[in-house]
Structures are given as structure tokens and as C-alpha cells.
Amino acid sequence: LQGLASAVIGSAGMTWIARTQSSKHRPMALSIAQMGISLGVLSPAPAAFVSYALGPSSPFFILAGLMLLDCAAAVAVMTNDVPGVDTEPDEEPRFWSQLQDSHIACLNVLIGMSTCIIGFLQPIIGPYAHEAFGFDIRMQGVLWFGAAASFLATRPIAPLLCARVSGWMVVTGGAGLCATALALLAVPSPVFIICG
């Protein structure tokens, strides 16, 4: 579920931006949204070890809570009345003005958070699976393979979903799914850690 949710947030978010921004503003808007990926990669590992010290399940609950807050922010910010692409603006895109666009900023946070979660889980999921369920290194590899395979399989499907349903609904649903997957990881059950 984690790989699926991350792919949906990233792909659907980029698709949504591409469909709602004018051709002049689209490159800047997409590059700003990509900044979320970079920001999400920078911080997670040290925070993962600190939160793991609070208890083996605490990182999952902390991340699930943060993702639920992001999901609530997306619901509050994202609406169907997004900037239209029918008319081309006369002014050139400005980095700061686009960064202040609530839709782009919200997607930036969601994309960054979904990336951060993968980086956060990487150093702690192996020790957690070994400690809680006795998973050896091969089974831990299966866990990561499942997440990577679902990410890869879902990546091309999310934009197709955006063609049928509003893009912000797909992104928000991905954030909710991500929070659910994180909560499942905290439940002491091998089935939930494999599915989460």
C-alpha cells in the first residue's frame, strides 16, 4: 500500500499540475512540485532513528498522523475551481508567486511527505520486521520488493485515474491511503507489515 500511495500522490499531483497550469506557467509549477521530492529525501533518516527510540511502532504512528494532517490540508486547499488553461497569461511566471500558489504548495508538501516516508521507513523497517516478527534478510527484501513493485505498477495508472476523476481527489485519496498503510505497519501482525 505504501508504494501504491506514493505513486498516486506523485503521478496524480504532477498530472493535475500539468492539466491546470498554462503552458507558460507549467514548467515552473512542475519544477516547484519536484522540489518536494528533494526536500523529502534530505531529512528522514536521523528522525527515523530518534522516533524508533520512542518505541518500535512510534515512527509509523507519527508518520500516519503527519500524513493525515497533510490530507486534511489538501482537502481544505484543493477545490475544483483551479486556474484555467484556456487563456495564456501575459506575464512571465515568477518563482515566488508560483510557490505561494496554495495548490502548488499543497502538492509540494504532499509529494515531499510521501518521499520522506519512504526515506524514513528504509532504515527502520528491517530492524522492526526482524525484532517484531523474526523476518530474516530475505523476507525483508520481499517487503521492499513489494513496495517497489506496487510503486512501479501504479505510476502509469494514476494519470489515467486523473482523467476520470478530479486530480485533487486522487491526490487526497493517495494521502489517505498512505496514512492507512502507515497505521497498518504499526499493528503487530506479519500480514499488516506485508500489506502496509
Side-chain angles (χ1 to χ4, degrees):
L1 289 178
Q2 183 58 48
L4 183 134
S6 293
V8 166
I9 292 169
S11 294
M14 295 299 178
T15 302
W16 186 82
I17 286 178
R19 289 189 177 157
T20 58
Q21 298 294 310
S22 68
S23 60
K24 274 189 177 178
H25 288 181
R26 193 174 303 129
M28 181 72 71
L30 288 170
S31 66
I32 289 171
Q34 288 286 340
M35 283 178 15
I37 293 172
S38 301
L39 292 172
V41 170
L42 291 175
S43 59
F49 289 117
V50 169
S51 66
Y52 194 75
L54 299 174
S57 298
S58 64
F60 308 115
F61 287 124
I62 291 168
L63 289 172
L66 288 173
M67 189 49 90
L68 278 176
L69 286 174
D70 288 345
C71 188
V75 169
V77 169
M78 306 259 182
T79 61
N80 286 326
D81 50 348
V82 294
V85 293
D86 295 336
T87 59
E88 287 294 321
D90 292 332
E91 79 279 352
E92 288 296 314
R94 303 256 189 258
F95 177 79
W96 293 112
S97 63
Q98 284 200 306
L99 190 59
Q100 293 171 350
D101 180 316
S102 59
H103 297 96
I104 295 170
C106 187
L107 281 172
N108 198 6
V109 169
L110 283 169
I111 290 169
M113 187 65 187
S114 68
T115 306
C116 181
I117 288 169
I118 298 290
F120 204 95
L121 292 178
Q122 195 167 11
I124 62 169
I125 198 77
Y128 175 70
H130 179 70
E131 199 175 291
F133 311 112
F135 284 7
D136 64 1
I137 195 74
R138 289 180 298 256
M139 194 58 193
Q140 293 172 28
V142 169
L143 290 176
W144 280 112
F145 177 77
S150 66
F151 184 86
L152 181 65
T154 310
R155 203 68 172 172
I157 296 170
L160 298 174
L161 203 58
C162 284
R164 299 186 182 276
V165 182
S166 176
W168 71 268
M169 290 177 68
V170 176
V171 172
T172 306
L177 182 64
C178 187
T180 303
L182 288 164
L184 285 177
L185 287 172
V187 175
S189 165
V191 173
F192 286 145
I193 197 167
I194 291 170
C195 293

